[in-house]
Amino acid sequence: MAGQEQQHQRRRVVVLFSLPFQGHLNPMLKLASLLHTRGLGVTVLHTDFNAPDPARHPAGLAFVPIHETLPGEATSPDSNILTKLLALNAACDAPFRHALASLLRARHRDDDDVACAVVDGQCFAAMRAAGELGVPVLALRTDSAAAFRKMLAIPRLRDAGYIPIKGNKKEKLDEPMPEFEPLRVRDLIRVEGSDTDEICSFVASVADAVRATVSGIVLNTFEAVEASELSKLQSELSLPAFAVGPLHLLSSSSSQAPAEAEQSVHEPDRGCLPWLDDGHPPRSVIYVSLGSLACVDRVVFDEMAWGLARSGVPFLWVVRPGSITGVGEDDGEAPPPLPEGFEEETRGRGRVVKWAPQREVLAHASIGAFWTHCGWNSTLESVCEGVPMLVQPCFGDQMVTARYVTHEWGVGMEVGEVIERGRVAEAVAKMMVGEDGALMKERARHLKMEASAATGSAMDGLVRHILSL
């Protein structure tokens, strides 16, 4: 009995490892803080690139760099997301393995017990490495349950002839996807500049690592929006799936997980908040941001700008460095130039910033809609504030999420497949002052109430699962 009591008194430690992108780091760090508040020891392994600042997180979290060497394609704004993911997996494999092995030896000396590793769900190399070192593995997905399920199905859908490949007729893109309503063929996860074989190879690597090493899937989502997809995912993988989100809401309610502890690619321009306060009626401003990774070409950027100008709607627009393909890379801190005459045309009605405190912006009473790339974190933040969305997905899982926003939850509409200033102006006006926009705002308000009702019970279930490993 005494030996059992001593064993129970040993501290259980969770090791976490995220890919070094803002949309991956923030959910992982919020999860780390929440696990810490529930009594678990937490060690965050991280890359030197985009390394988190320990001072912005609870004192009980340990941060350990893996000291990787990244090739240029892993960080270049001009490389597509699949190229980045493959390069990061290759570059982080050995450094992660070495750091985790060293940590295991140190923890053994300290009489601590590493319960498991929570690894970014796109980092198949780290999942395999942890499993080979004998550490139980949980995969944290930073996309939706729907997007992850569709991703895993890509090889099967390709074999069935549904994946767009060279020679496919364009009209096939609008065919519905059996078993995956409300998706069409065009909504499947895709990456411009990568062919089907490359995408399927990456998916196979992720799927193989999950099935070989993972004992559970952790998702930043909640039952009210994805109950059906979560059930199907658990059945298809024969693994428990823990819907622990919305993580940013749960972490904000924790005194040891400050809301300001965000990993950001740029310092937010907080001057946009008093600007929103100044003379803007409730729900009158559209907030525009395509996130921290998505890029558009110069033609699309200019059409977005002049569409905003023609709409007559007040706007807050995030134009970050590197947001236009191949423009502004000589100075990594400089955003790309706006079209000539745009600032004069919109003076007094719009504000352009390099980066914004997005959660505070979306919570502001003057914000009436969010023009978004449908990254999953941005989508959740919009849902949780009851803000309807104008969707412009750019790559990967964003296509799936955009379709769910518009056709499953009914809280958004498309900017348009072709970004053209006249269509943009019409879509913005329709969302902000039209009848359809009013209906979407009401549905968004109800979805906000469901998100606010998330209790954290799934997080308790996750902790019990970790302690059982």
Side-chain angles (χ1 to χ4, degrees), residues 397-446:
D397 63 294
Q398 297 162 15
M399 281 71 176
V400 174
T401 301
R403 187 67 173 174
Y404 271 72
V405 166
T406 56
H407 285 74
E408 182 73 9
W409 308 326
V411 294
M413 66 175 68
E414 297 174 354
V415 178
E417 182 183 350
V418 176
I419 306 299
E420 184 275 325
R421 63 190 67 185
R423 294 180 182 180
V424 167
E426 182 180 357
V428 170
K430 187 176 181 181
M431 171 62 79
M432 296 298 291
V433 299
E435 292 183 6
D436 290 344
L439 291 173
M440 290 172 195
K441 290 174 185 177
E442 182 60 23
R443 285 194 288 265
R445 187 181 68 83
H446 285 291

Side-chain angles (χ1 to χ4, degrees), residues 25-267:
L25 280 165
N26 279 327
M28 186 69 83
L29 293 170
K30 289 177 174 59
L31 178 64
S33 295
L34 288 164
L35 293 174
H36 173 68
T37 63
R38 283 161 169 78
L40 291 165
V42 173
T43 297
V44 178
L45 296 182
H46 61 84
T47 58
D48 291 321
F49 175 66
N50 279 349
D53 179 2
R56 297 175 65 88
H57 301 280
L61 272 61
F63 289 84
V64 178
I66 67 169
H67 298 310
E68 79 292 348
T69 301
L70 295 182
E73 60 264 27
T75 59
S76 170
D78 288 332
S79 59
N80 67 43
I81 188 63
L82 184 58
T83 299
K84 287 182 170 71
L85 291 173
L86 291 171
L88 283 163
N89 269 276
C92 292
D93 188 356
F96 171 81
R97 189 185 299 266
H98 176 75
L100 181 58
S102 298
L103 185 66
L104 291 172
R105 290 192 295 269
R107 289 301 180 192
H108 180 73
R109 290 194 298 269
D110 294 340
D111 203 33
D112 284 342
D113 174 26
V114 174
C116 69
V118 180
V119 176
D120 193 299
Q122 304 279 38
C123 201
F124 56 83
M127 284 189 266
R128 284 198 307 250
E132 290 167 4
L133 289 169
V135 179
V137 179
L138 299 173
L140 174 64
R141 296 299 308 188
T142 55
D143 49 6
S144 67
F148 183 39
R149 182 169 168 259
K150 276 59 173 187
M151 174 184 165
L152 292 174
I154 282 177
R156 174 168 64 85
L157 294 171
R158 178 194 58 178
D159 294 342
Y162 285 103
I163 300 294
I165 58 176
K166 291 179 181 179
N168 276 6
K169 293 183 179 180
K170 186 174 181 179
E171 55 264 27
K172 188 173 182 178
L173 296 177
D174 290 317
E175 286 187 9
M177 291 295 305
E179 305 178 45
F180 294 102
E181 297 82 0
L183 298 186
R184 306 157 297 177
V185 170
R186 71 168 65 250
D187 302 312
L188 288 170
I189 294 167
R190 65 182 187 271
V191 179
E192 296 296 332
S194 296
D195 62 30
T196 303
D197 289 341
E198 289 174 322
I199 296 172
C200 287
S201 177
F202 173 77
V203 170
S205 295
V206 171
D208 290 347
V210 167
R211 293 188 171 98
T213 64
V214 166
S215 64
I217 308 294
V218 185
L219 299 109
N220 184 19
T221 189
F222 58 105
E223 289 278 347
V225 292
E226 291 208 280
S228 175
E229 295 292 345
L230 285 162
S231 177
K232 292 173 184 174
L233 184 61
Q234 290 185 101
S235 176
E236 291 165 7
L237 287 175
S238 299
L239 288 171
F242 301 95
V244 298
L247 283 170
H248 72 279
L249 283 189
L250 295 173
S251 63
S252 295
S253 66
S254 170
S255 60
Q256 296 189 49
E260 65 271 15
E262 295 277 346
Q263 181 77 9
S264 182
V265 294
H266 301 289
E267 187 66 28

Side-chain angles (χ1 to χ4, degrees), residues 272-287 312-316 348-349 361-369 387 432-433 441:
C272 65
L273 297 173
W275 179 83
L276 288 171
D277 290 334
D278 186 16
H280 292 109
R283 303 295 186 188
S284 65
V285 178
I286 186 167
Y287 170 57
V313 172
F315 63 87
L316 172 61
R349 180 164 58 83
V361 168
L362 290 171
H364 198 282
S366 69
I367 297 297
V387 177
M432 296 298 291
V433 299
K441 290 174 185 177

